[in-house]
């Protein structure tokens, strides 16, 4: 598939997904063929998608990035989710050699010292494992929502990811947090107990704090960096990225 064809396919898919409910969106992409991978952080949005995949027995691989720095509550939720929905969540972990090299250069918690050091840690613990998780995938499903942050306000339903040569699908792009919470409550979906303690967005333990009233949903992520564009690099729209709006 050429890049132009992929961009056109993403644009067509974006339009088709817009008119469907969540189950319809996931069923549509699951039926496109190829390797379809959903990466979950076990956040509340991702739990909705895991529930749909499990309930409808959709042929979608479920993967998570086990960075080695996750909250104990998150680790427990991985197992609880697998059990409740009879699905397998494949853990992709960083290479020990990469962790050792990072610690030697920056220190184990060197990510507090500079943006460069933080990006390097995310590169080792998230980006490289993500590359393995998505190797050979044709579709990458995420739980991104437009309401999560200003940086995600224009999230499309489908877009071509030229760096990974696949189509990225965001089936919850137009869901707001109240709709997510209602779905979870009405369907008995297990969620991270940290959400009740002021953590709407949950990542690695040393890099996530509870938010204050009025702050954006992702304000507790890398809170020491005074930058509205804070991201771990998994979902950054590069200048070359092509969004199918
Ligand atoms: S979120 Fe923090 S601990 Fe996790 S990979 Fe990024 S810098 Fe490292």
């Amino acid at each position: 598939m050429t890049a132009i064809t992929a961009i056109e396919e993403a644009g067509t898919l974006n339009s088709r997904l817009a008119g469907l409910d969540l189950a319809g969106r996931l069923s549509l992409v699951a039926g496109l063929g190829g390797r379809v991978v959903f990466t979950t952080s076990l956040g509340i949005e991702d739990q909705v998608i895991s529930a749909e995949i499990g309930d409808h027995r959709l042929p979608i691989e479920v993967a998570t990035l086990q960075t080695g720095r996750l909250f104990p509550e998150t680790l427990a939720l991985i197992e609880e989710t697998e059990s409740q929905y009879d699905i397998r969540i494949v853990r992709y972990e960083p290479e020990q050699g990469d962790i050792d090299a990072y610690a030697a250069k920056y220190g184990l918690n060197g990510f507090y010292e500079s943006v460069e050091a933080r990006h390097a840690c995310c590169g080792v613990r998230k980006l490289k494992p993500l590359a393995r998780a998505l190797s050979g995938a044709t579709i990458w499903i995420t739980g991104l929502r437009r309401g999560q942050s200003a940086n995600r306000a224009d999230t499309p339903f489908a877009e071509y990811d030229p760096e990974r040569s696949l189509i990225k699908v965001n089936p919850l792009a137009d869901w707001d947090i109240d709709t997510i919470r209602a779905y979870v409550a009405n369907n008995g979906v297990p969620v991270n107990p940290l959400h009740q303690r002021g953590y709407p967005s949950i990542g690695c333990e040393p890099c996530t704090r509870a938010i204050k009233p009025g702050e954006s949903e992702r304000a507790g992520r890398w809170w020491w960096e005074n930058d509205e564009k804070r991201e771990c690099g998994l979902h950054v729209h590069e200048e070359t990225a092509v969004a199918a709006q």
Side-chain angles (χ1 to χ4, degrees):
M1 184 167 60
T2 67
I4 296 297
T5 304
I7 293 166
E8 290 172 350
E9 284 192 9
T12 301
L13 184 58
N14 188 63
S15 300
R16 292 177 68 191
L17 291 170
L20 299 173
D21 62 12
L22 179 58
R25 290 170 182 172
L26 290 171
S27 295
L28 174 59
V29 295
L32 291 176
R35 182 170 174 239
V36 182
V37 178
F38 164 52
T39 53
T40 174
S41 68
L42 285 297
I44 190 169
E45 295 87 0
D46 291 343
Q47 289 300 93
V48 169
I49 296 176
S50 288
E52 289 279 325
I53 291 172
D55 285 344
H56 298 287
R57 310 312 305 163
L58 296 172
I60 296 173
E61 293 180 40
V62 184
T64 195
L65 306 179
Q66 211 307 28
T67 65
R69 303 302 301 267
L70 299 179
F71 286 90
E73 290 89 342
T74 304
L75 297 176
L77 186 58
I78 295 173
E79 296 189 3
E80 183 181 0
T81 304
E82 287 184 317
S83 175
Q84 179 158 331
Y85 295 106
D86 190 24
I87 59 174
R88 169 102 175 96
I89 301 176
V90 180
R91 286 84 156 156
Y92 286 87
E93 300 178 353
E95 301 283 349
Q96 189 59 50
D98 289 340
I99 292 174
D100 293 343
Y102 179 87
K105 182 172 181 179
Y106 298 103
L108 183 63
N109 292 337
F111 40 79
Y112 293 125
E113 302 304 320
S114 70
V115 173
E116 181 220 334
R118 204 267 290 169
H119 284 171
C121 185
C122 286
V124 165
R125 293 183 182 273
K126 291 184 172 181
L127 291 175
K128 287 184 74 174
L130 176 69
R132 278 187 274 120
L134 296 178
S135 177
T138 51
I139 301 278
W140 175 22
I141 298 173
T142 86
L144 294 188
R145 289 189 301 108
R146 294 167 189 157
Q148 286 170 324
S149 68
N151 201 31
R152 297 183 176 183
D154 60 351
T155 298
F157 295 113
E159 59 189 323
Y160 178 57
D161 182 332
E163 290 200 353
R164 301 179 177 91
S165 300
L166 48 68
I167 293 176
K168 184 173 172 183
V169 172
N170 312 301
L172 294 177
D174 58 345
W175 283 43
D176 61 31
I177 189 61
D178 290 336
T179 307
I180 296 279
R181 288 178 180 142
Y183 180 101
V184 164
N186 294 335
N187 294 280
V189 178
V191 296
N192 198 317
L194 291 171
H195 289 313
Q196 291 292 329
R197 295 182 224 153
Y199 294 76
S201 177
I202 304 167
C204 291
E205 184 169 14
C207 299
T208 309
R209 66 153 171 77
I211 65 168
K212 299 167 190 157
E215 288 186 322
S216 75
E217 291 181 33
R218 289 178 60 82
R221 305 292 296 278
W222 309 290
W223 70 93
W224 65 91
E225 292 181 8
N226 185 22
D227 179 359
E228 279 301 305
K229 296 291 186 183
R230 291 183 306 237
E231 291 279 356
C232 57
L234 301 187
H235 300 299
V236 174
H237 286 238
E238 305 293 346
E239 288 183 1
T240 53
V242 181
Q245 302 277 357

